Amino acid sequence: MPDQHLSPAVKTSLLRGWLERFLAPGSLARKLMGRLFPPISILVVLDLSVTWILTRRMSLEDWLLRDIFWTMALSQVLLVSLIAWVLLSGIRSQLASIDDLSQQIRNRSDDDFERLDASALPAEVVPLVEHFNELLERQRDTLQAQKRFIGHAAHQLRTPLTGLQLESELMLARPLPEDIRQRAERIKSVSDRMIRLGQQLLVLARTDADSNIKDSFVRLDLCEWVREEGGDWFLQARQHGVEIHLLAPEKPVWIDAAPILLRELLSNLMDNALRYGLGTDRIVLRVASNPPSLSVEDHGPGIEASEQQRVFEAFYRSPGTQAGGSGLGLAIVQEIARAHGAWWSLMSRPDFPGTRITIVFPGPRIGARLTRHDTLIGN
């Protein structure tokens, strides 16, 4: 229908609809209009006032045309400069919320899938943020499904493997020909390793970031806890020809932790030191109070600088290592540290004569939502 055949009411309705789309509530255009319209209006009024004074109140006999030209030119330059400054400041202030959103995304950890807050953003950006939130939710659901599958698979494998381990132990308890004994020992060794792998996979599934791990936290003295748990490793360390030394302050060092997960963390650190710290004659368990931290040190061959980042990846094993293992030990240490709101560091040669892995706890803050998961290498 041609515009000239539209009724005034229809034209008004169309104009109102266009304005509502252009200046929708919460939109960037509407916010800029609301911020910039008053100062620009004042500047236009000032410009018109100056022009009116020059043309109506000033006598041409007192002014040369050149003076009038330069006065008008300077006033226009000043007006344009002021308008540009108002525009830039207004746009910058309105885009500050987008800058804040960008900073929030940049500072997020890898396992933080919380929804982004779009309440303070312009309406034009809200659909983008909502789609991004949906992507985060799908990614979180995918990771949860993977961890549930790993947990279920590990649980289902544990029963037959335990039976196989028991059968091999019963065989080894009897007199056997040497070749059969060697085969039974290999079966037992493989079943032990598979059971250990299943336990590690269950721990990985249990340390899901969205599970209520903090509900099982208790306040404990890290010094006393390490004395008790470290003592369980004396016999195994002695079998490897290694001594265990404990260095801890006399006063208690309090932290909030889940004892079961903390025991698994220490177990993986000790197993890692005994398995890969070849040639070391001692393992040092070091507890510090400020900040609360636990370090496990060995004086073995250390870890190459190019691999110090990768050793925390699940199933990664150094190509040059001869020791057996699943490659899950340090990955589990990392996940348990994250679940406790702690951060971890690794120091090795040439900065340290061996390998030192340190877990720094946030201290006794039950219920705190701590999200610092930085990995510090070589500090």
Side-chain angles (χ1 to χ4, degrees):
M1 180 183 294
D3 292 344
Q4 57 268 25
H5 297 297
L6 295 176
S7 64
V10 174
K11 291 181 179 180
T12 302
S13 177
L14 291 175
L15 179 61
R16 185 182 298 110
W18 179 83
L19 288 175
E20 288 179 353
R21 288 194 300 271
F22 181 71
L23 299 176
S27 66
L28 180 61
R30 184 163 185 161
K31 291 181 179 179
L32 287 176
M33 285 292 294
R35 182 178 181 87
L36 300 179
F37 185 77
I40 291 178
S41 300
I42 294 174
L43 292 176
V44 171
V45 170
L46 290 175
D47 181 60
L48 293 175
S49 300
V50 171
T51 304
W52 183 80
I53 291 174
L54 291 176
T55 56
R56 295 293 183 180
R57 294 297 183 180
M58 301 298 295
S59 173
L60 292 180
E61 297 177 356
D62 300 331
W63 285 72
L64 297 176
L65 291 177
R66 183 180 59 186
D67 298 331
I68 296 176
F69 169 77
W70 284 112
T71 302
M72 295 293 294
L74 291 175
S75 64
Q76 294 300 322
V77 170
L78 179 61
L79 175 64
V80 171
S81 300
L82 290 174
I83 291 177
W85 177 79
V86 170
L87 284 172
L88 290 175
S89 62
I91 293 174
R92 184 178 299 173
S93 64
Q94 293 304 314
L95 294 180
S97 58
I98 299 179
D99 292 337
D100 293 340
L101 177 66
S102 175
Q103 190 67 25
Q104 291 177 21
I105 296 175
R106 185 182 301 112
N107 293 335
R108 283 201 168 201
S109 59
D110 295 338
D111 59 349
D112 188 357
F113 298 103
E114 292 296 326
R115 292 177 60 87
L116 297 173
D117 184 13
S119 59
L121 296 173
E124 294 87 348
V125 186
V126 171
L128 175 63
V129 176
E130 290 299 329
H131 291 317
F132 186 75
N133 285 334
E134 293 175 1
L135 177 63
L136 287 176
E137 291 178 353
R138 291 196 298 270
Q139 185 71 14
R140 180 185 59 193
D141 293 342
T142 300
L143 290 178
Q144 287 179 343
Q146 291 177 353
K147 289 194 173 185
R148 285 195 298 268
F149 172 77
I150 291 174
H152 294 330
H155 182 74
Q156 292 297 324
L157 288 172
R158 185 169 55 181
T159 300
L161 287 173
T162 302
L164 183 62
Q165 181 190 46
L166 180 60
E167 289 294 335
S168 62
E169 290 176 350
L170 291 175
M171 290 179 62
L172 291 172
R174 302 174 182 176
L176 295 172
E178 186 61 26
D179 58 338
I180 297 179
R181 176 171 293 277
Q182 291 178 357
R183 294 175 184 177
E185 289 176 349
R186 286 198 296 269
I187 292 174
K188 183 178 184 303
S189 176
V190 172
S191 60
D192 290 342
R193 188 163 62 249
M194 291 298 296
I195 290 174
R196 174 62 177 165
L197 174 61
Q199 292 174 343
Q200 291 178 323
L201 290 174
L202 283 174
V203 171
L204 278 179
R206 190 181 303 152
T207 53
D208 184 355
D210 288 334
S211 62
N212 296 323
I213 294 177
K214 291 184 174 61
D215 293 341
S216 62
F217 279 11
V218 296
R219 185 158 298 180
L220 53 84
D221 177 10
L222 187 60
C223 299
E224 185 63 28
W225 183 88
V226 171
R227 290 189 186 98
E228 295 177 0
E229 296 297 329
D232 295 338
W233 285 86
F234 283 161
L235 180 59
Q236 187 171 345
R238 184 173 299 175
Q239 293 174 352
H240 287 77
V242 176
E243 295 181 354
I244 296 180
H245 295 197
L246 173 63
L247 301 178
E250 295 295 333
K251 296 182 179 179
V253 177
W254 299 104
I255 64 169
D256 293 330
I260 295 177
L261 294 181
L262 201 61
R263 185 179 302 113
E264 188 68 25
L265 179 144
L266 180 61
S267 175
N268 281 278
L269 290 177
M270 292 295 298
D271 182 73
N272 190 77
L274 291 173
R275 189 183 299 271
Y276 300 105
L278 302 177
T280 185
D281 59 350
R282 67 183 183 277
I283 294 176
V284 179
L285 300 178
R286 189 186 304 271
V287 177
S289 59
N290 190 22
S293 62
L294 168 64
S295 299
V296 177
E297 308 172 2
D298 66 70
H299 293 80
I303 301 174
E304 295 292 335
S306 59
E307 298 179 355
Q308 291 180 13
Q309 289 280 2
R310 300 201 61 190
V311 294
F312 288 95
E313 298 177 6
F315 301 107
Y316 176 78
R317 298 181 69 247
S318 175
T321 184
Q322 300 297 323
S326 62
L328 283 175
L330 293 184
I332 291 176
V333 169
Q334 177 179 254
E335 292 298 326
I336 294 177
R338 283 177 171 171
H340 286 79
W343 58 267
W344 54 95
S345 67
L346 184 150
M347 182 178 292
S348 192
R349 297 181 186 272
D351 301 314
F352 182 80
T355 301
R356 173 195 287 168
I357 298 178
T358 303
I359 310 298
V360 180
F361 296 92
R365 301 178 182 177
I366 291 180
R369 295 297 179 180
L370 302 171
T371 59
R372 182 177 181 182
H373 302 154
D374 305 326
T375 303
L376 305 180
I377 302 297
N379 291 327

